[in-house]
Amino acid sequence: MKKMPVFTTSMLISAALLSSPTTLAAGFQIEAQSATGVGRAYAGDGIIADNAAVMAINPAAMALFDKKAFTMGATAIKPNISVENGDYNAAINDNSGAVSYDDAGNLAVAPNLFLIVPLNDKWAVGAGLYSNFGTESEFDDSFPGEYGGTSSIISADLALAVSYRLNQQWSFGAGLDLIYGHGKFQRSLDVDANKTITIETPRPLPDYSHTFTVDSRINAADVDASGAGVGWNVGTTYELDRNNRWGISYHASPEISAKGKIDGPADVTIADTLYVPLPDFAQFSGYNHFKGTRFALSYTLGWTDWSKFDKLATDGAVNTLQKFEWRDTWTVAIGGTYYLNDKWTLRTGYKFDQGAQDKITTISVPDSNRNWLSAGFSYAPSHDSSIDFGITYLLGVDVDVHEEHAGVSSIDATTHTDALIAGVQYSKTF
């Protein structure tokens, strides 16, 4: 009987959690607050204010409304995650060789709901419910379970905001973001017949060692955790006139304390709480409707503080599960709006979105630079309502990935992620 190398629970639980922040991060940070935004690659969405969803980006833009504004809708995200030219080398089974996978991305749907209420000609308040993160990847048993498995994130953001109009040019706003998130991550190991494996807990936990013979796919990590945090945001807008305006906003994000099941092999519990630091982000947006035409140009320059996400920590004995050392990212978007007539509005846009991962890459939810190609339209059944639709094709680039678990296995592969994003909503002022 051949005895396999000893490995600790922290070794494989960190592998499972590796995909958790990737889903939360630029690897698939989702902008899903409006269908109009989807239709123009979110260019200028912090200042255009064509519906109440603008408060999700810039609370000061609520001052642009002189009537109550209501918006509700949903955004669907379907990523296509593929793995090519994979070379898998295992010490615990006889599956070494070439591996690949066609499509590991599952459909996710993120609803949204916003209401802005002007109190007078100076003050306005607003509330919104939407999601910044909502995606899932799932690999079946044909792919090595310690690098594939299931990775799922669902989040909800309750936004509360207030704005104040100082004069005809300047407005200011501030708000709170109450964020709830739930993550589920599963990893497994294939171990061949007549081989034994020893599980040991890491120091300084009480000594625990269990040796057993395996002949199948065994559980390597099982995480099911949820938590909440409170962030804040501020913004300002400047209006040269009704056709030319600009806005700046800043969002300070919380560290989410996710509690639940955080187990490794043999159901060994490594911790009860996982700490996930979400990044801060800032945006500058502009909108220019050219005089005498039906065309308007919009644009956004964004920055995200992904270097804030330097590691995954827990309240367990092994405080640092995984270091990341990600980089801050920039995004730039440009969009066009054509006001065809009183009933129809057409949109298009392009965005370049920089990936956050630097030296550390993953297979389960890969990250890369992305290009957004977007189009959309609105139909107004009445002067105070509209039905909006937007669609985006998101193109990633190939990324070479190397992952390994000492004494267990390693993999080298090329990953690629594209995505289709579609949004629909109904908006009304009253």
Side-chain angles (χ1 to χ4, degrees), residues 247-334:
I248 299 176
S249 61
Y250 181 87
H251 286 247
S253 301
E255 179 180 76
I256 298 292
S257 298
K259 296 181 180 293
K261 179 170 62 174
I262 306 176
D263 294 344
D267 295 324
V268 174
T269 297
I270 193 172
D272 293 321
T273 304
L274 172 69
Y275 302 105
V276 182
L278 300 181
D280 302 342
F281 57 94
Q283 285 193 6
F284 167 78
S285 298
Y287 172 81
N288 304 106
H289 188 171
F290 297 107
K291 187 176 181 180
T293 74
R294 297 178 181 269
F295 180 76
L297 182 71
S298 57
Y299 38 91
T300 290
L301 177 65
W303 167 84
T304 304
D305 182 21
W306 278 120
S307 60
K308 180 180 175 182
F309 190 85
D310 59 343
K311 67 179 182 179
L312 263 181
T314 77
D315 63 347
V318 181
N319 177 261
T320 301
L321 286 180
Q322 181 72 41
K323 291 185 177 181
F324 291 91
E325 300 176 358
W326 283 4
R327 62 184 179 182
D328 294 348
T329 62
W330 291 89
T331 182
V332 59
I334 186 168

Side-chain angles (χ1 to χ4, degrees), residues 5-20:
V6 173
F7 60 94
T8 65
T9 59
S10 60
M11 180 191 305
L12 286 171
I13 199 71
S14 64
L17 295 173
L18 187 63
S19 64
S20 167

Side-chain angles (χ1 to χ4, degrees), residues 140-174:
D140 63 28
D141 291 349
S142 67
F143 197 82
E146 67 270 38
Y147 300 108
T150 298
S151 307
S152 174
I153 278 288
I154 299 173
S155 75
D157 188 328
L158 173 61
L160 304 172
V162 60
S163 68
Y164 175 73
R165 175 175 288 281
L166 180 65
N167 51 41
Q168 289 185 343
Q169 278 71 50
W170 290 98
S171 300
F172 301 89

Side-chain angles (χ1 to χ4, degrees), residues 138-267:
E138 184 174 8
F139 292 76
D140 63 28
D141 291 349
S142 67
F143 197 82
E146 67 270 38
Y147 300 108
T150 298
S151 307
S152 174
I153 278 288
I154 299 173
S155 75
D157 188 328
L158 173 61
L160 304 172
V162 60
S163 68
Y164 175 73
R165 175 175 288 281
L166 180 65
N167 51 41
Q168 289 185 343
Q169 278 71 50
W170 290 98
S171 300
F172 301 89
L176 293 176
D177 294 309
L178 312 178
I179 301 174
Y180 168 84
H182 175 262
K184 186 175 182 180
F185 313 99
Q186 296 175 331
R187 295 294 181 271
S188 60
L189 283 172
D190 283 329
V191 182
D192 285 345
N194 298 321
K195 293 183 179 179
T196 61
I197 192 166
T198 300
I199 306 298
E200 293 183 353
T201 55
R203 296 180 183 276
L205 288 174
D207 289 341
Y208 172 89
S209 180
H210 181 64
T211 300
F212 53 97
T213 302
V214 291
D215 182 17
S216 63
R217 173 162 290 202
I218 65 171
N219 176 65
D222 191 356
V223 178
D224 192 339
S226 60
V230 180
W232 54 269
N233 59 84
V234 295
T236 185
T237 64
Y238 177 78
E239 301 169 71
L240 180 63
D241 53 45
R242 64 188 300 269
N243 292 320
N244 300 277
R245 51 186 183 267
W246 299 267
I248 299 176
S249 61
Y250 181 87
H251 286 247
S253 301
E255 179 180 76
I256 298 292
S257 298
K259 296 181 180 293
K261 179 170 62 174
I262 306 176
D263 294 344
D267 295 324

